Amino acid sequence: MVASNILLYFFLLISADLTYKNVAQAPEYCGKKNGYALDDKNCFWHTEFTSKRYILYDVNPPEGFNLRRDVYLRTSIFVRNLSEKSKKRYQWHLVLPPWGNLYHWRSTDIGPQKQIPWSTFFDLESLKKYVPVIEMHEFIKEYSQNSKTSAIDRVYILQNDEKMFETGNFDDKNQLVNCTPDALRKYQASSSGNYGAKFWGYSNVTANEVKCLVYHGTMSGLEENLYPDIYSSVMFDHMEIPLHDSYGTKEFWAARRSMRYNSALYEIANDFSQKYLKSNDSRDKTELPMDWTKEKSKRNALGGPYLCVHLRRRDFLIGRAGSVPTIKNAASQLSIKMEELNLQSIFIATDAENNEYNELKSLLNMYAVTRYTPSDSVKKLYKDGGVAIIDQIICSKARYFIGTHESTFTFRIQEDREIMGFPSKMTFNELCGIEKCKSRSSWKILW
Ligand code: GFB
C-alpha cells in the first residue's frame, strides 16, 4: 500500500512537471514508512485508516437556490465518475453544503434560515441512489473522530481566468496562483496555522491548507487536484466555475431524476392541488414510481385542469427588465392561452409583491386564479426554500406551463415536467417580455 502510494506520488509529480503551466502542483508528501503519525503535519490519519474520501464544495454567495441545484448536479456527476474510475479503491463521498443566507430568502418571521440540511428540501435516499452523499453535520461527526474540530485537508478557491478575454486564449486552465488578500478574506489563518472560515457558519470546521486555483474547463478536470493518497477531504469553493461535462445527456438526466424532493413537500403540494385545482395524480397521469431508477420514458402525462404560470418579478424587474412583461401584458397573454386551452383555473407561482398579484388576479377575474399561501407551521418547518419547491411541484403537474425567460426556477419546473412525461409543447413556453419575445431553450429529457 505504502509502496504503491509512493509510486503514485512520483507519477503525480512527473505529470505535474510535464504540464507545469496548466496543472496545480502536487502537495508535499507524507514520507513516513511505517504509517502516518498524527504529529507529522503532512500526514493525516484519515488516509491511513480508511478508504473514504470526501469532496466538499461551496458556491458564490449571491447565487440563487435553483442555480445551486445545477451546481449540485455537476458535482454529483463528477463524484460518481470518480467512484467508477477508482474501482472501489476509494469510497468517494459528496458532502452536501448546508443551505443558508440566500439573497431571495427574505422571510423574517420564521427564525434563521441558515445551516439548513438538504433533507429539508430533498429526499436523501433518492440522491444516494445516484451518488453517496452525506449531510455536513454527518461529515463533522464522522470526520472529527472525537476531536473538537474537523479540519478539511485542502481547500481550493476556484477563480475565473480574468485574462482569457484579453489574450484570446480559451484553453482549459488549472493553475495554482498566489491568493490575494481579497480572495483569502473568508479564510483567516489562525495562530495554529489552520484556516478557520466559519464554513457555513460552523466554527468547528477548519482547513489545513487553502490554495487559489485559476480554473477554466469542465468538472472532470478537477480530478488532477485531488491527490487521494494524501488527502482524504478536499473542498472546492466557487464550484459554479467548472462547467458541465455532460449537460443534457442520459447521465445528466439520471442525476437530475435522483433529485426528488422531501416527500412532505409533495404531500403538501398534492393536498393543495386536489383541494383547489381539482388535480389528482392518477387521473392526470402524473404518477411516478417511488424509486426514480424505475422510471420509464413516456409522453402521456395529462396534468391537472389548470394552467400554471411562473411569474418572476423582484430582481428580474431590474436586472432583466426587457424580458419580463408588465402585469397588464402578462394578464393579456394568459387570457389568450386560457381561451385556447379551454381551461378555467390558473395557478400563479410568483415572488411578486401582493399588489402585483392582486392586480393580475383582478385582470383575470373571469378565471379561478389561485396561489399557494403556506401556513405558519409549513413556513417554519420548510422555510422559504420549501415553499418555493411546493410552488414548483404544483406547476410541474399543471396541464400547461408558462415560465419566465432565463429563470432557473422555471428551468427546474420544465425538467420535472420532462421527467413526468408531458408533451413538450405543454412545457416549454415563456411569457414574452416588454421587448419582443426572446428565443426559448427547450432541453428535452434523454432516457
Ligand atoms: O431560484 P433562483 O435562483 O431563480 O432565485 P432565478 C429565485 C428565488 O426567488 C427562488 C424566489 O429560489 C425563490 O426563493 N422565487 C422566485 C419564488 N420565484 C418564485 C415563485 O414563483 N414562488 C416562490 N415561492 N418563490 C436568479 C437569481 O433567479 O436569477 C440570481 O437567483 C440572478 O440572483 C439571476 O438574479 C438573474 O433563476 O429566477
Side-chain angles (χ1 to χ4, degrees), residues 62-68 102-106 309-316 319-320 348-352 372 384-392 395 404 406-413:
E63 300 297 354
F65 185 76
N66 287 292
L67 180 114
R68 285 163 189 264
L102 295 197
Y103 164 78
H104 301 94
W105 292 353
R106 296 291 174 89
V309 56
H310 173 229
L311 182 71
R312 184 75 161 82
R313 308 305 279 175
R314 301 208 186 219
D315 44 332
F316 264 49
R320 286 157 193 255
I348 308 216
T350 188
D351 58 343
Y372 171 72
D384 288 338
V387 171
I389 289 173
I390 293 169
D391 270 350
Q392 287 179 307
C395 286
T404 296
E406 284 182 349
S407 162
T408 54
F409 190 103
T410 282
F411 293 158
R412 301 295 89 87
I413 295 170

